[in-house]
Amino acid sequence: MAAESGRRVGVIGAGIVGLCAALWLQRDGHRVFLVEPGTPGEGASFGNAGCFNGSSVTPAGMPGVVKQVPRWLMDPLGPLALRWSYLPQILPYLVRFVRSATPEKVRAQARAMRPLVGPTVPLVRELAKMAGADTLVHQRGHLYVYRSAEALAKDGFAWALRRDNGVEVDEFDADELRQLEPSLSREYVRGLLVRENGHTSNPFGLVSAFVELFLRQGGEIVPARAFGFRLDGQRLTAIATDRGDQPADRAVICAGAYSKPLAASLGDRVPLETERGYHLMIRDPEIMPRIPTADADGKFVATPMDTGLRFAGTVELAGLDAPPNWRRSQILLAQGRRMLPGLAKEHAEERISMWMGHRPATPDSLPVIGPSRASPDVLYAFGHGHVGMTAAPMTGKIVADLVGGRAASIDIAPFAASRFG
Ligand SMILES: Cc1cc2nc3c(=O)[nH]c(=O)nc-3n(C[C@H](O)[C@H](O)[C@H](O)COP(=O)(O)OP(=O)(O)OC[C@H]3O[C@@H](n4cnc5c(N)ncnc54)[C@H](O)[C@@H]3O)c2cc1C
C-alpha cells in the first residue's frame, strides 16, 4: 500500500481539472507537481459561467441539432458562429458530432455523464472547505427560462433525459417566475428550476484558492510546457517539457483544449476541438439575478459573481489560434439587457470587461478519462467541453483512484480514448 500512495505524480495543466486531480492525489499521500506554462486558472477555467450543474447530462449534439444550425448561423445574435476559413479543418469533427446526435447515443451519453456530474456540489464543497474558500460556492439552483410554451416543448427531449437520470425539476409559470426572480423580463413565461445545482461566484478565485492549498500541502508548480513523455517500455520515467525532463512515476494530462498533441504522442488520436466561448461582465450592475439563469433559446447564462454580473455562452468554431471576435461578447450584452430590463441601456466602458476561452470539446460531449494507449502510467483527464467546472471534482477523484491502483468509483468505460478508434 505504501508504494500505492507515495508516487511522484506530474499533473499537466493547472485549470480546474488539473487542480481537482492534484488535490485528491495529495490526499492519497502522493508527491504531486503541476506543469503549467501560464498563470494557473487562466485557461477556460477563468471566465466560464461558474455553474456546478449536476443536471448537465445532455450533450451539445442533441437530435435535430443539424436542422437548427442554419438558423443559428444566419442570426447575428445567434448562439453559434463559424469562421468559414476553418470549415475544412473542422469538417471531420462535425461529421462525428452529427453521427453522435442520435436519440439512442444521446441517451447513453446522458447515462454516462450523470455519475460524473451528479455529485459535483458536495464534492466541490469538500475541496473548497479544505481550501478555506467555501464562501465562493453557493447552492441556489439553476433556472432555465423560456419565452413560450412552444420553446419549452421543443426542449422536451432534453428535460426527459434529465428526469430519466434522476434530476428533479420544478416548473414555474409566468407569475411564479416573477416572484422567484423579479429581475427577469416579462417576456419569459416558463421557468424550470433545478435545485440541486450550484455555482461559484468567482471561478478564478476558486481555482486560485485550490492552488494555494496545493502549495501549502507541499505541491510544486513547474513553470513549463509539456510536449511529450519518456517511456522505458510501457513504464513512464519523465514528462518532457521545454524546461527539461521532469522525473515522474505517473502523469495526468489535464491540458484542456491543448491536450490533443500530448495524447497523439502516446498513440491516441482524439478528435479534440475548441468550442470557443465568450463572456461579458458588468461591474456594479443596476440589477443582478439571485439564481444563475440560462436563456434557453439564446443559450447563454447570467451568473451573479462577486466581481459583477457575468453573461457567458455562445459557441464559435474557429480553432485555437484565431484572434477573438469581440462582437460575440457584445452580442451577450444586447441579449443580457433584454433578459434583465432593469439594466441600463448604456454602460461606461470601464465597467465592462470581455473574455474569450477554449472549451475542450469532443464530438460526443464525453470527456476523455483513463489510461493512454502507450502507457498505463499516463492518464487522460481532459475534453470536458461545456461542463468542465461541474465534472472536475469527480474527474479528479477518478484520477486519484486510478493512480492509487483502485477501480474508479463510477463506470469510466464510456470515457476511454479508444472509443475514437
Ligand atoms: C463561456 C464559457 C462558459 C462556461 N460555463 C461553464 C459552466 O457554467 N459550468 C461548467 O461546468 N463548465 C463551463 N464551461 C466549461 C469549462 O470552463 C471548461 O470545461 C473547463 O474550464 C476546462 O477546464 P480544464 O482544466 O480542462 O482546462 P483549462 O482551464 O483550459 O486549463 C488547462 C490548462 O492547461 C495548460 N496547458 C495547456 N497546454 C499545456 C502544456 N502543453 N503543458 C502544460 N500545461 C498546458 C493551460 O495553460 C491551462 O492553464 C464554460 C466554458 C466557456 C468557454
Side-chain angles (χ1 to χ4, degrees):
M1 194 62 204
E4 305 273 302
S5 65
R7 296 196 161 112
R8 183 166 160 79
V9 187
V11 175
I12 300 169
I16 186 76
V17 177
L19 260 305
C20 288
L23 293 180
W24 292 125
L25 284 163
Q26 281 185 324
R27 204 151 90 160
D28 274 2
H30 300 292
R31 289 165 291 132
V32 186
F33 62 97
L34 283 161
V35 182
E36 169 59 61
T39 305
E42 282 203 343
S45 305
F46 180 88
N48 53 70
C51 301
F52 287 92
N53 286 353
S55 64
S56 288
V57 297
T58 54
M62 290 289 280
V65 71
V66 179
K67 277 192 228 145
Q68 304 203 53
V69 167
R71 178 173 67 90
W72 284 338
L73 289 179
M74 303 283 281
D75 179 359
L77 294 183
L80 176 68
L82 168 69
R83 292 223 189 148
W84 292 100
S85 56
Y86 193 62
L87 183 61
Q89 253 170 288
I90 202 174
L91 200 57
Y93 175 92
L94 293 177
V95 170
R96 281 181 187 262
F97 180 87
V98 172
R99 285 199 185 134
S100 297
T102 65
E104 203 179 305
K105 287 186 182 160
V106 164
R107 276 191 200 99
Q109 288 154 12
R111 268 198 306 277
M113 283 305 281
R114 179 62 171 160
L116 188 70
V117 295
T120 186
V121 172
L123 287 182
V124 76
R125 277 217 160 122
E126 198 176 331
L127 292 175
K129 216 170 182 173
M130 281 158 54
D134 30 348
T135 54
L136 298 183
V137 180
H138 314 271
Q139 190 169 21
R140 299 180 200 151
H142 190 95
L143 186 59
Y144 302 78
V145 290
Y146 292 85
R147 288 194 172 83
S148 67
E150 295 74 45
L152 172 57
K154 276 193 194 147
D155 270 0
F157 183 58
W159 285 108
L161 271 181
R162 294 184 185 110
R163 288 185 166 110
D164 289 350
N165 283 284
V167 176
E168 284 180 21
V169 183
D170 290 333
E171 203 167 328
F172 297 89
D173 66 19
D175 290 339
E176 292 163 336
L177 192 54
R178 210 142 296 135
Q179 284 174 30
L180 185 71
E181 197 53 85
S183 60
L184 287 172
S185 159
R186 285 171 179 262
E187 284 183 319
Y188 297 112
V189 296
R190 289 284 187 286
L192 278 79
L193 178 67
V194 180
R195 292 183 200 272
E196 70 173 75
N197 290 341
H199 78 281
T200 174
S201 48
N202 189 341
F204 179 63
L206 188 66
V207 178
S208 302
F210 288 176
V211 172
E212 279 168 32
L213 173 64
F214 170 75
L215 293 173
R216 276 203 302 280
Q217 294 181 152
E220 192 193 329
I221 298 182
V222 178
R225 183 174 298 280
F227 61 80
F229 302 90
R230 307 290 179 213
L231 299 178
D232 178 5
Q234 284 208 319
R235 202 173 63 81
L236 176 74
T237 57
I239 299 171
T241 81
D242 57 6
R243 295 222 174 166
D245 287 358
Q246 308 296 324
D249 306 315
R250 296 283 186 277
V252 192
I253 301 177
C254 306
Y258 299 88
S259 303
K260 188 174 174 168
L262 292 167
S265 77
L266 296 158
D268 285 301
R269 293 183 56 193
V270 177
L272 188 73
E273 256 303 327
T274 162
E275 284 193 24
R276 297 150 57 109
Y278 288 81
H279 88 209
L280 182 138
M281 286 197 72
I282 308 175
R283 189 160 44 80
D284 303 324
E286 297 74 19
I287 201 159
M288 184 94 115
R290 200 183 62 84
I291 304 170
T293 302
D295 179 305
D297 198 37
K299 306 223 176 299
F300 70 96
V301 180
T303 309
M305 297 261 170
D306 295 342
T307 46
L309 170 59
R310 179 173 294 179
F311 298 112
T314 91
V315 169
E316 182 188 43
L317 304 176
L320 286 168
D321 301 324
N325 172 7
W326 294 123
R327 182 130 170 73
R328 302 292 306 159
S329 280
Q330 280 148 5
I331 286 167
L332 288 168
L333 181 57
Q335 292 184 319
R337 285 191 178 127
R338 190 172 161 201
M339 175 194 246
L340 303 166
L343 286 174
K345 299 281 170 282
E346 304 274 333
H347 290 94
E349 229 172 78
E350 61 272 16
R351 283 174 62 198
I352 300 283
S353 57
M354 296 184 273
W355 170 88
M356 188 273 286
H358 297 286
R359 297 184 190 89
T362 63
D364 58 11
S365 297
L366 300 180
V368 180
I369 306 174
S372 68
R373 186 181 295 260
S375 167
D377 297 346
V378 186
L379 300 173
Y380 297 139
F382 61 86
H384 296 77
H386 290 240
V387 297
M389 297 296 284
T390 302
M394 190 55 161
T395 299
K397 243 180 169 337
I398 293 167
V399 165
D401 282 339
L402 299 181
V403 168
R406 305 183 293 266
S409 58
I410 67 168
D411 181 13
I412 58 166
F415 309 134
S418 58
R419 71 186 187 271
F420 299 114

